[in-house]
Amino acid sequence: MPRYCYVNGRFTPHNQGAVHIEDRGYQFADGVYEVVTVADGKLVDEEGHMARLDRSLKELRMPAPMKRAVLQLKMRELIRLNGLTDGLVYMQVTRGVAPRNHAFPAEDTPPALVMTTKRMDFASMRKFTDGVSVVTRPDLRWARCDIKTVSLLPNCLAKQEAYEAGAYEAWLVKENGEVTEGSSSNAWIVTADGKLITRPPTNEILNGITRRTIITLAAEEGLTFEERAFSVDEAHAAAECFVSSATSFVTPVVKVDDAVIGDGSPGPLSRKLLDAYKDYIAGRRDRAA
Ligand SMILES: Cc1ncc(COP(=O)(O)O)c(C=O)c1O
């Protein structure tokens, strides 16, 4: 079955999808994106992702490429064309194509929209059953990490260092020793007295859509939740740790740097939240977020 992408108004075979060399996404990373999970043919937290896309566009004073409802139809059409049941839809909007100049292009420059899909087999992923390790690295990013921009170079460098260290993710750390988030996920710990902790959604982190759903699920499960910053030392000493993102769901973390977390296997709260999240995306719970 041929794989299609969507590029500026057309569904095109994936290997022929191309953008202009003067696309501002290519030249300035002047663009935003979203990743929406598709599970059993259904888009997970679609409204939350669409709302965050609108917010990212607004914060960067970028026009929307089309009405939200039309974009949602195009997304569904791409999913159908690619016969996607489990995986993700990636969508990226840039400020369009214009002669290279840092300042914005003429107001009538249409934004550029690209969409792709990727197949993923969530059911067989070992990370959910075995857990993963993370390493900590300095957070070298800018002051608007709340905007989901394609400007991801510090994130890429940190993720590469994680991979080279044999880890799944890098947790990014401020100069004061606080963890902000992962290079492509939100960071969570469970304290020795069973409190679930994650950092508040300020400009220092991306307010993950999965993060928000997990907060709702945790409340439904009666877990004690505290939204506050935590340090690397607290992470090393935590009873449990996990990361969350659209494609990581709730991924248990069993090692942070050299510190083994708990008994080195996924902890009970992480497993409970992963099960709750899997039930949620399978429609076995009321829609939480
Ligand atoms: C830096 C960062 N933080 C957090 C997240 C998690 O966000 P979401 O749950 O919406 O996927 C991501 C996802 O890509 C990310 O890149």
Side-chain angles (χ1 to χ4, degrees):
M1 182 182 210
R3 185 179 169 204
Y4 289 90
C5 60
Y6 179 89
V7 184
N8 293 325
R10 294 197 3 229
F11 293 98
T12 313
H14 191 270
N15 57 5
Q16 289 166 32
V19 293
H20 197 278
I21 54 165
E22 290 200 299
D23 188 298
R24 288 181 62 94
Y26 178 60
Q27 296 200 323
F28 296 113
D30 188 3
V32 301
Y33 74 108
E34 278 298 327
V35 174
V36 189
T37 295
V38 178
D40 203 15
K42 288 187 216 67
L43 289 152
V44 177
D45 283 335
E46 182 181 7
E47 287 306 314
H49 286 283
M50 290 296 116
R52 188 173 62 186
L53 179 66
D54 285 347
R55 179 182 183 278
S56 297
L57 290 167
K58 191 164 149 275
E59 292 298 317
L60 295 180
R61 298 161 57 195
M62 209 178 279
M66 57 187 64
K67 287 204 166 70
R68 189 194 281 197
V70 181
L71 180 57
Q72 287 172 297
L73 282 178
K74 303 279 181 208
M75 235 193 318
R76 281 173 174 69
E77 181 62 7
L78 187 62
I79 289 168
R80 193 190 62 75
L81 278 172
N82 286 340
L84 185 74
T85 49
D86 289 285
L88 62 84
V89 180
Y90 175 84
M91 69 187 89
Q92 174 178 314
V93 183
T94 73
R95 211 181 300 273
V97 175
R100 189 176 183 280
N101 178 21
H102 288 59
F104 294 175
E107 271 191 19
D108 59 356
T109 306
L113 169 65
V114 165
M115 281 195 281
T116 56
T117 64
K118 182 177 168 189
R119 220 171 275 286
M120 297 173 89
D121 185 6
F122 297 117
S124 70
M125 287 183 176
R126 296 275 299 271
K127 64 184 181 185
F128 297 132
T129 44
D130 298 357
V132 299
S133 56
V134 308
V135 291
T136 55
R137 288 293 181 271
D139 192 341
L140 304 175
R141 301 173 304 160
W142 72 328
R144 290 305 308 274
C145 298
D146 56 311
I147 306 172
K148 198 166 170 70
T149 81
V150 296
S151 176
L152 290 170
L153 197 46
N155 309 57
C156 294
L157 292 171
K159 182 77 96 188
Q160 179 61 23
E161 286 185 29
Y163 285 177
E164 286 170 5
Y168 173 80
E169 179 60 300
W171 278 5
L172 307 176
V173 182
K174 292 194 349 166
E175 277 180 9
N176 67 3
E178 287 172 10
V179 174
T180 53
E181 61 181 331
S183 70
S184 63
S185 59
N186 289 115
W188 302 70
I189 60 169
V190 177
T191 57
D193 59 353
K195 269 196 207 119
L196 186 62
I197 316 276
T198 200
R199 197 178 177 88
T202 63
N203 60 313
E204 291 175 319
I205 67 161
L206 184 74
N207 190 358
I209 303 302
T210 320
R211 173 191 179 282
R212 278 152 42 176
T213 297
I214 292 168
I215 291 172
T216 309
L217 294 172
E220 289 173 8
E221 295 294 322
L223 305 182
T224 313
F225 170 64
E226 215 177 290
E227 203 172 51
R228 67 161 174 85
F230 62 86
S231 67
V232 174
D233 288 345
E234 276 184 285
H236 288 164
E240 298 182 37
C241 298
F242 63 87
V243 301
S244 68
S245 77
T247 54
S248 291
F249 303 176
V250 173
T251 294
V253 172
V254 294
K255 201 165 159 237
V256 178
D257 300 318
D258 289 330
V260 173
I261 305 303
D263 66 1
S265 64
L269 287 197
S270 311
R271 281 188 278 119
K272 188 182 206 137
L273 283 169
L274 175 59
D275 286 347
Y277 189 76
K278 283 185 171 166
D279 283 348
Y280 166 73
I281 63 176
R284 290 192 291 266
R285 297 176 75 103
D286 290 339
R287 303 309 278 179

